Amino acid sequence: MSSPPHGPEATSPARYVLRKLPHVTALFWVLKTVAVTLGETAGDEFGITLQLGYVATAAIFLLFFLVVVTAQVRAGRLRPALYWAVILSTSMVGTEISDFLNRGFGHASDDSGGIGYTAGGLILTAMLVVVFLVWWRTGQTYDVENIATRTGEILYWVAILVSNTLGTSSGDVLAHDTPLGFRGAFFVLAGVLLLLVAAHYLTAINGTVIFWVAFVLTRPLGAAGGDYLVKPTDEGGLGAGTLWGSLALLAVLTLLALFQAWRLASHPLEMLPAPANTRTGEPQEPNGRTVLAYGPRPEQIVHADAPGVRDHP
């Protein structure tokens, strides 16, 4: 690491945090849609094709989620493979939690005992509202690209887990409790997402609101796409099956994550200023590796190994 410069600039170093979360770009949404589609097909492979049932499958996926989210929270900077593994795990866990909540014990052949799709969706919506209220009370930024605290990142992952679970229930409501079916639900959701894109560019609607609405809706969009991929041809699908469909989606997700990692290597994300409580201004625990930088403005600092940047103890 470079030594700090001498002279006036050396008297006022600033503390920065390496980013742990990616920018929200077109690539982000493609990766997210592929990840949640894989979560749907993988959940069906374990819970339905292998007939493990919702509870056993949820336990397996929950263990996977806890392992990868712990590694993500402890990481010093954004690692695309790890980040998307956590997104995938939230979709897998969310699928099983939603199915268990809405359908009860069983594995599709026995859907008795659940509270129903609409009731499940309402409960999960209420849970997401509670998460956002807690988020606000803790003084964390809602800007998902600029989260720089440990508490903020944990709340981010809790919100994503609930969002993907809610997305599963929302898709089930459209597919089962309306005349749309899976194909109709896919086109309706695609249309709503296009409207959100237009709202982002053409209106003054808060970007954070648009992000979370889109985040929820891409989950049922992926579910509808996954069902179309794996369902038999006599049911209107492509007949790939849950195993081969999941393997194909995993290959696509892996290639896209590798591409994102390659892009980050050549175009590093700018670092974030040391975090502070949005309500009180008090310093907060950073969620990534911290460094001291001398001289440049925050928007000019893009690499932790740049001249004038050194590790903060």
Side-chain angles (χ1 to χ4, degrees):
M1 193 68 65
S2 302
S3 299
H6 298 286
E9 288 184 346
T11 60
S12 56
R15 184 166 169 255
Y16 296 94
V17 182
L18 301 192
R19 287 181 183 268
K20 298 281 297 296
L21 308 174
H23 287 313
V24 180
T25 62
L27 178 60
F28 173 91
W29 290 114
V30 172
L31 273 158
K32 199 271 180 177
T33 303
V34 173
V36 297
T37 305
L38 175 56
E40 173 74 14
T41 59
D44 288 346
E45 169 66 18
F46 280 80
I48 298 176
T49 303
L50 299 179
Q51 296 191 346
L52 294 181
Y54 302 135
V55 176
T57 305
I60 294 170
F61 290 164
L62 179 61
L63 178 61
F64 174 53
F65 165 72
L66 292 175
V67 169
V68 292
V69 78
T70 300
Q72 163 68 25
V73 171
R74 296 181 63 181
R77 66 169 73 200
L78 174 63
R79 306 290 183 189
L82 183 57
Y83 176 88
W84 291 109
V86 184
I87 294 290
L88 171 61
S89 70
T90 61
S91 177
M92 297 162 76
V93 173
T95 297
E96 302 311 309
I97 292 175
S98 173
D99 287 345
F100 172 69
L101 181 66
N102 299 337
R103 303 173 183 173
F105 293 92
H107 40 73
S109 60
D110 177 15
D111 284 353
S112 61
I115 63 175
Y117 300 114
T118 302
L122 291 173
I123 290 174
L124 290 165
T125 299
M127 290 177 61
L128 188 58
V129 170
V130 170
V131 172
F132 285 133
L133 287 174
V134 172
W135 195 327
W136 172 76
R137 287 291 299 172
T138 58
Q140 312 298 314
T141 178
Y142 278 120
D143 187 344
V144 295
E145 290 188 342
N146 295 314
I147 294 172
T149 68
R150 178 66 56 85
T151 300
E153 187 180 3
I154 291 172
L155 286 167
Y156 171 87
W157 288 118
V158 172
I160 282 181
L161 177 59
V162 178
S163 296
N164 277 332
T165 308
L166 172 60
T168 303
S169 279
S170 301
D172 286 337
V173 169
L174 290 175
H176 297 286
D177 288 355
T178 73
L180 290 173
F182 289 112
R183 182 175 299 181
F186 178 86
F187 287 114
V188 168
L189 291 166
V192 173
L193 287 168
L194 287 175
L195 289 175
L196 289 174
V197 172
H200 173 70
Y201 288 106
L202 302 176
T203 74
I205 297 175
N206 184 277
T208 299
V209 173
I210 293 176
F211 172 86
W212 285 109
V213 173
F215 203 95
V216 170
L217 293 181
T218 49
R219 177 64 188 86
L221 181 74
D227 284 329
Y228 178 67
L229 176 65
V230 304
K231 293 295 184 183
T233 55
D234 60 357
E235 295 181 20
L238 294 177
T242 54
L243 176 59
W244 291 108
S246 296
L247 290 175
L249 289 165
L250 178 61
V252 173
L253 181 64
T254 301
L255 290 174
L256 289 173
L258 288 172
F259 173 73
Q260 187 178 52
W262 173 77
R263 289 271 301 173
L264 288 174
S266 55
H267 299 86
L269 298 176
E270 70 276 13
M271 294 188 286
L272 294 167
N277 189 297
T278 59
R279 299 172 64 214
T280 66
E282 293 294 320
Q284 294 180 315
E285 181 184 5
N287 67 329
R289 175 182 159 201
T290 58
V291 296
L292 291 178
Y294 295 77
R297 298 190 305 272
E299 62 270 19
Q300 294 176 311
I301 304 172
V302 297
H303 201 288
D305 296 320
V309 179
R310 62 183 178 88
D311 284 318
H312 185 269

